[in-house]
Each structure stands twice: as C-alpha cells, then as structure tokens.
C-alpha cells in the first residue's frame, strides 16, 4: 500500500479481554514504531523495531503489553487483560532507514475499554 | 537519556499574528530534530526536520524552525498564521543513544481565532 495501514480503526473491548492491534508498514521500511496517544498526554513511546536488531521495549507500560514483528514487516501489538486506562489511540509509524529522516504514521487504532 | 520538552501546552493566537512554539531537548550526543503536525481528526504528518547543515530549516505551510545547539532548542515559527493552522504540534528528537528511535514531546495545541 501507499502508506502505513492500521487495523482495526476502532476497537471496543470489555475490561479483562485481550486485544490485538495490527500495523502494516510501508513496504521496505526497516524501522517500525508503536506509540500511544492519550488526551493530554501527547505521544507515549511504546516499542521500536529496527531491522533485525532486538526491539527497544523500554516504553511498554507493563508486562500486559507485547509486540511482534514478523518477517520484518507486519507488526502486532497485543494487550492482555485490558484495563480502562489502556483506552487510547495506538499509533504505528515506519521509516526507511536507520538514520531516520521521516517517520510515516498510520491513522491509528482507537481502543476503548469498557 | 534524551528528553523533549514543549513548554506550552496551549497557544492561542489571532489570525495573521506571528507564532512561536517552543521546544527544548536534552541529549549528550548529536541529535536529529523534527516537528510534526496533527490536524483535528487526522494522522501525524511531518512539518520539517533538522538533520545537519543550516540551522534554519523551512517546512510546509510557511513554517520554519531554528536549531540552537547552545540553547538546546528547536523552536517552531510562522510569521502569519491562518485559521487552518489550528492543530496539535509535536516536537521530536532522535539520536544515536536511542538507536534513532523518535522521542516526542507532549505536544502544543495551537488555536487560531479570527
């Protein structure tokens, strides 16, 4: 595709359920980021994949959060046992090379935990 | 560790007035600096970036920013704003120590009124 694609665009889930959020980066982009955007909190870094290097997981808020990137392309962010405070917009971005010149963002997945 | 501080959470301004959105960063190594914009109900897009060379960089929609190494700042300016500039503006930094992962500030909400 032409841009970063995220699915679903909206997700409503019950507290305690697990959710999976998907990101399809721009083809050929080696770097992939996940961020969380909450009202008044700006963009919170979650995890960063760069090529075949070990991902930078320093931003994951708890062990309920995990992410994978299969084959250096598609990424899935998984949130287990969701809590109401997990409600936010989850943004994915990708960029083309190690020395980042521009990260392209998807439209995000709006997660609502009820 | 690097950090990004956007000193103003909200900036109200009248149409056709000049505006400056402030961004300061901390890093012990050379940095790359970015400003992203998020219009209402839209995704993030790159406004401008500083990688090297001239410290004054020009971006889209008439915005510019100046890298000041001694003051560790990268303030965003526009000489005359339009109603359509109303948006959330994010400053971001990346450096070698972070593996070039993008670290964002909390954002500044620019509200332009007639």
């Amino acid at each position: 595709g032409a841009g970063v694609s995220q699915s679903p665009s909206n997700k409503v889930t019950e507290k305690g359920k697990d959710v999976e959020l998907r990101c399809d980066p721009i083809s050929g982009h080696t770097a992939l980021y996940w961020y969380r955007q909450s009202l008044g909190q700006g963009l919170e870094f979650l995890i960063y994949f760069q090529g075949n290097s070990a991902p930078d997981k320093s931003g994951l808020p708890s062990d309920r959060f995990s992410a994978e990137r299969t084959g250096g392309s598609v990424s899935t962010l998984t949130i287990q046992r969701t809590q109401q405070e997990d409600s936010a917009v989850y943004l994915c971005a990708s960029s083309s090379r190690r020395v980042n010149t521009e990260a392209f963002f998807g439209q995000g997945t709006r997660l609502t935990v009820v | 560790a690097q950090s990004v501080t956007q000193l103003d959470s909200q900036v109200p301004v009248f149409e056709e007035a000049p505006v400056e959105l402030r961004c300061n960063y901390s890093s012990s190594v050379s940095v790359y600096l970015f400003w992203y914009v998020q219009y209402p109900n839209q995704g993030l897009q790159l406004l401008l970036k500083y990688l090297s060379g001239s410290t004054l960089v020009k971006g889209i929609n008439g915005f510019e920013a100046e890298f000041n190494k001694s003051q560790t700042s990268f303030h965003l300016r526009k000489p005359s704003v339009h109603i359509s500039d109303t948006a959330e503006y994010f400053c971001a930094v990346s450096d070698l120590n972070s593996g070039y992962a993008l670290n964002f500030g909390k954002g500044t909400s620019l509200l332009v009124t007639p």
Side-chain angles (χ1 to χ4, degrees), chain A residues 18-40:
Chain A
D18 298 352
V19 294
E20 285 189 352
L21 311 180
R22 177 186 169 101
C23 173
D24 282 275
I26 293 172
S27 179
H29 278 192
T30 58
L32 186 148
Y33 310 81
W34 282 99
Y35 293 90
R36 179 166 69 177
Q37 186 174 24
S38 306
L39 191 62

Side-chain angles (χ1 to χ4, degrees), chain B residues 27 32 48 59 106:
Chain B
S27 175
Y32 303 99
L48 49 78
K106 290 190 179 297

Side-chain angles (χ1 to χ4, degrees), chain A residues 3-10 23 37 89-93 104-110, chain B residues 38-45:
Chain A
V4 178
S5 177
Q6 292 187 245
S7 59
S9 55
N10 281 283
C23 173
Q37 186 174 24
V89 176
Y90 289 82
L91 294 169
C92 176
F104 294 83
F105 280 81
Q107 293 296 308
T109 294
R110 181 175 296 277
Chain B
Q38 186 176 34
Y39 297 104
N41 300 313
Q42 294 188 27
L44 277 85
Q45 64 183 87

Side-chain angles (χ1 to χ4, degrees), chain B residues 12-86:
Chain B
V13 64
F14 290 113
E15 191 176 18
E16 297 183 5
V19 70
E20 178 179 82
L21 306 183
R22 295 180 292 170
C23 174
N24 287 85
Y25 67 92
S26 68
S27 175
S28 59
V29 297
S30 296
V31 296
Y32 303 99
L33 296 157
F34 307 81
W35 276 98
Y36 280 80
V37 61
Q38 186 176 34
Y39 297 104
N41 300 313
Q42 294 188 27
L44 277 85
Q45 64 183 87
L46 183 69
L47 258 185
L48 49 78
K49 61 192 176 191
Y50 170 79
L51 303 181
S52 65
S54 174
T55 57
L56 182 64
V57 292
K58 295 187 183 295
I60 61 172
N61 301 337
F63 283 92
E64 64 181 32
E66 186 159 19
F67 170 53
N68 188 319
K69 188 175 181 179
S70 62
Q71 296 187 2
T72 60
S73 68
F74 191 55
H75 300 333
L76 181 70
R77 302 184 183 99
K78 186 170 182 177
S80 175
V81 294
H82 302 289
I83 299 287
S84 59
D85 292 323
T86 294

Side-chain angles (χ1 to χ4, degrees), chain A residues 25-64:
Chain A
I26 293 172
S27 179
H29 278 192
T30 58
L32 186 148
Y33 310 81
W34 282 99
Y35 293 90
R36 179 166 69 177
Q37 186 174 24
S38 306
L39 191 62
Q41 297 299 312
L43 283 162
E44 178 186 5
F45 167 76
L46 296 177
I47 189 168
Y48 168 55
F49 296 89
Q50 175 55 271
N52 295 322
S53 302
D56 177 356
K57 303 180 181 180
S58 60
L60 294 178
S62 77
D63 59 7
R64 295 187 295 106

